[in-house]
Amino acid sequence: MPYFPEVSQIQYEGPQSKNPLAFRWYNAGEIVEGKSMRDHLRFSVVYWHTLRGTGSDPFGPGTMIRPWDDGSNSLDNALRRVDVAFELIEKLGAPYYAFHDRDVAPEGNSLAESHANFERIAKSLKEHQQATGIKLLWGTANMFSHPRFMHGAATSCNIDAFAYAAAQVKKCLEVTKELGGENYVFWGGREGYQNLYNTDMKRELDHLGRFFHLAVDYAKKIGFTGQFLIEPKPKEPTKHQYDADAAACLNFLRAYDLLPHFKLNLETNHATLAGHTMMHELDYAGHQGALGSIDANTGDLLLGWDTDQFPTDIYLTTQCMLMILKHGGFTSGGVNFDAKVRRESFEPIDLVHAHVGGMDTFARGLKIAAAIRADGLLTNFVKTRYSSWDSELGRQIETGDATLESLERYMLAKGEIAPNASGRQEMLENIFNLYL
Ligand code: XUL
Ligand code: CO
């Protein structure tokens, strides 16, 4: 019996279609810049919001009607949810999904029971993957919801919390490997602090570095070859999270000798919470060779927290795709909808509308970005803007051959700098609009 009876396989119908349950832009097999849209975008559905979101907020309980969910913590309920998940993902035509250990399987009364529950559900996930061809983009361990992690996990003042988290990551790595997961994510929800009066920051960061090394070592031991990713976020739930933004993460990874093992999973609403655009975060990670994957969503300009809305803004998705294409596209990563429907959108069909819209908005952004790149107006402008560096002097400075003395000699001879050229921001913003 289908859980979304009113939905059949979502089809591409083209830009003229008014059918809300069809794609206007996402045409999986269509080739853009030499690669299919399916392979460029690598869409992924998240288990936590989509299968486990209830619509609760700090002011009231859940609102979502989910006829398949009996509200219990039972394995039967969790197994039924796997059927629901795969029906939805298959109807959407998304090739991937992602989960936390505790989204898919109930937490038991002991670590041993939680491990057993997780293994039981993983067996069903594997069967469903084999039956549908849907693949696991990434797994991650939830080390932030349970009260035992109130002070953090790897950065807790309580050594047992560190050990518990280590045990959870060990199991989650095993399951992610078993399911062919292409990445493994760490999002440090409580790896930060509320107040420095009670915090040994140096010791916490040292422990976080150790923790990641333990994971890297164990992955090597069991032959897990997926890409490790850190997901930056500056705050919420803590006042300050150590993985605040791309630059902070990369500095941490470099300081603790972890750079060869990690890339970043960048999330739009996390970028904006950090006071950056998503374009900035993508470019920063990209030029360091660390653009791994994205959590696709959007915040709300008028709200200062992580609202995790589905992306519907073509400016945003075009900017994302411009940066992703600039840095060579995804290898192990994808466009993972870490997004949730609003509390008022309480019916199962709202999940379908949300994903169809998000996928279409990204597909359209991909096509617009490819058109902008094909004409080359923006890249040519940037190239010309920096052309004074394409000189013998530029070569000397960029390769380290110049010295303060040589530059002083050059400037004494020249007297004044060559005239500046306009940044032409307004013209470039207008050019961008030509392609929308
Ligand atoms: C929280 C968030 C997480 C991570 C996975 O803001 O984005 O759901 O994506 O732990
Ligand atoms: Co996320």
Side-chain angles (χ1 to χ4, degrees):
M1 194 204 70
Y3 295 100
F4 298 88
E6 67 277 59
V7 182
S8 39
Q9 183 75 41
I10 306 292
Q11 304 287 346
Y12 171 72
E13 292 184 3
Q16 306 312 322
S17 173
K18 295 270 187 324
N19 175 4
L21 292 178
F23 296 123
R24 269 159 285 280
W25 305 96
Y26 183 56
N27 185 12
E30 185 178 327
I31 302 296
V32 177
E33 291 198 13
K35 205 159 86 174
S36 71
M37 293 180 102
R38 184 190 297 103
D39 290 345
H40 270 292
L41 294 162
R42 297 164 56 86
F43 286 126
S44 167
V45 172
V46 306
Y47 221 93
W48 50 102
H49 291 311
T50 295
L51 276 303
R52 304 308 308 273
T54 64
S56 69
D57 70 13
F59 301 93
T63 56
M64 301 293 162
I65 294 177
R66 301 291 183 245
W68 54 79
D69 202 305
D70 65 16
S72 78
N73 210 23
S74 70
L75 273 174
D76 278 348
N77 202 21
L79 286 167
R80 201 162 41 245
R81 246 186 246 120
V82 179
D83 292 338
V84 178
F86 279 79
E87 181 189 325
L88 175 64
I89 302 167
E90 204 174 17
K91 284 182 168 172
L92 290 169
Y96 288 98
Y97 73 112
F99 63 68
H100 300 84
D101 48 1
R102 301 298 181 251
D103 309 328
V104 289
E107 172 122 18
N109 291 319
S110 65
L111 179 62
E113 198 186 327
S114 297
H115 278 359
N117 289 347
F118 192 19
E119 279 167 14
R120 172 66 193 92
I121 301 298
K123 194 166 165 285
S124 171
L125 291 168
K126 189 170 183 178
E127 285 160 11
H128 282 75
Q129 286 184 209
Q130 282 165 346
T132 59
I134 292 163
K135 295 184 280 187
L136 179 62
L137 188 68
W138 47 265
T140 187
N142 179 331
M143 305 182 293
F144 46 85
S145 295
H146 194 282
R148 74 174 68 89
F149 299 122
M150 65 170 76
H151 303 290
T155 64
S156 179
C157 49
N158 181 340
I159 193 170
D160 287 351
F162 183 104
Y164 203 105
Q168 228 179 295
V169 167
K170 174 179 177 289
K171 177 57 62 188
C172 198
L173 276 171
E174 291 163 9
V175 169
T176 301
K177 174 181 187 276
E178 175 66 19
L179 297 177
E182 298 187 21
N183 305 270
Y184 186 91
V185 166
F186 288 98
W187 170 61
R190 295 193 192 273
E191 313 293 23
Y193 58 81
Q194 301 291 4
N195 191 307
L196 283 175
Y197 294 164
N198 65 11
T199 302
D200 187 338
M201 193 198 287
K202 166 82 165 66
R203 207 163 185 191
E204 292 200 1
L205 285 168
D206 287 351
H207 294 166
L208 189 58
R210 275 311 323 145
F211 194 86
F212 289 143
H213 274 289
L214 295 177
V216 167
D217 292 347
Y218 191 64
K220 201 166 170 196
K221 181 165 183 195
I222 64 173
F224 172 67
T225 54
Q227 174 67 51
F228 279 111
L229 301 171
I230 290 188
E231 182 174 324
K233 186 177 184 181
K235 55 190 165 191
E236 196 198 9
T238 61
K239 174 194 174 75
H240 175 88
Q241 273 153 227
Y242 294 130
D243 300 332
D245 62 5
C249 286
L250 288 164
N251 180 59
F252 169 85
L253 291 169
R254 201 167 269 120
Y256 287 91
D257 243 353
L258 288 158
L259 207 50
H261 308 290
F262 279 83
K263 289 184 179 176
L264 302 180
N265 180 41
L266 298 165
E267 177 165 328
T268 321
N269 208 161
H270 296 180
T272 48
L273 282 178
H276 304 308
T277 60
M278 182 62 162
M279 212 177 167
H280 165 96
E281 289 291 83
L282 289 165
D283 207 17
Y284 197 94
H287 67 67
Q288 304 264 328
L291 203 182
S293 196
I294 69 168
D295 271 9
N297 61 21
T298 188
D300 184 304
L301 274 183
L302 302 182
L303 301 176
W305 61 90
D306 195 12
T307 60
D308 278 341
Q309 287 161 237
F310 277 84
T312 55
D313 177 345
I314 1 175
Y315 274 95
L316 171 66
T317 56
T318 302
Q319 290 169 357
C320 288
M321 292 316 301
L322 267 178
M323 282 301 159
I324 290 162
L325 293 173
K326 171 179 169 184
H327 294 294
F330 294 121
T331 45
S332 66
V335 175
N336 181 52
F337 289 111
D338 188 358
K340 61 186 180 216
V341 292
R342 297 304 88 187
R343 191 166 189 268
E344 301 83 350
S345 306
F346 59 89
E347 295 176 345
I349 192 75
D350 291 307
L351 295 171
V352 184
H353 288 299
H355 284 89
V356 167
M359 291 165 80
D360 240 5
T361 309
F362 258 91
R364 195 167 173 188
L366 167 64
K367 294 194 80 164
I368 299 167
I372 292 174
R373 281 160 56 83
D375 280 359
L377 295 176
L378 293 186
T379 38
N380 288 342
F381 184 88
V382 175
K383 194 162 173 8
T384 309
R385 186 160 187 240
Y386 289 85
S387 59
S388 68
W389 287 87
D390 303 330
S391 58
E392 173 52 21
L393 184 64
R395 188 203 60 73
Q396 285 170 12
I397 296 174
E398 288 181 349
T399 59
D401 286 347
T403 61
L404 289 184
E405 291 108 304
S406 73
L407 292 171
E408 183 192 42
R409 270 196 306 280
Y410 167 81
M411 221 51 248
L412 283 172
K414 189 155 188 181
E416 189 46 85
I417 76 164
N420 286 309
S422 167
R424 290 271 189 277
Q425 178 174 327
E426 297 74 11
M427 180 192 82
L428 295 169
E429 287 168 344
N430 296 344
I431 287 179
F432 194 96
N433 280 351
L434 291 178
Y435 298 87
L436 292 185

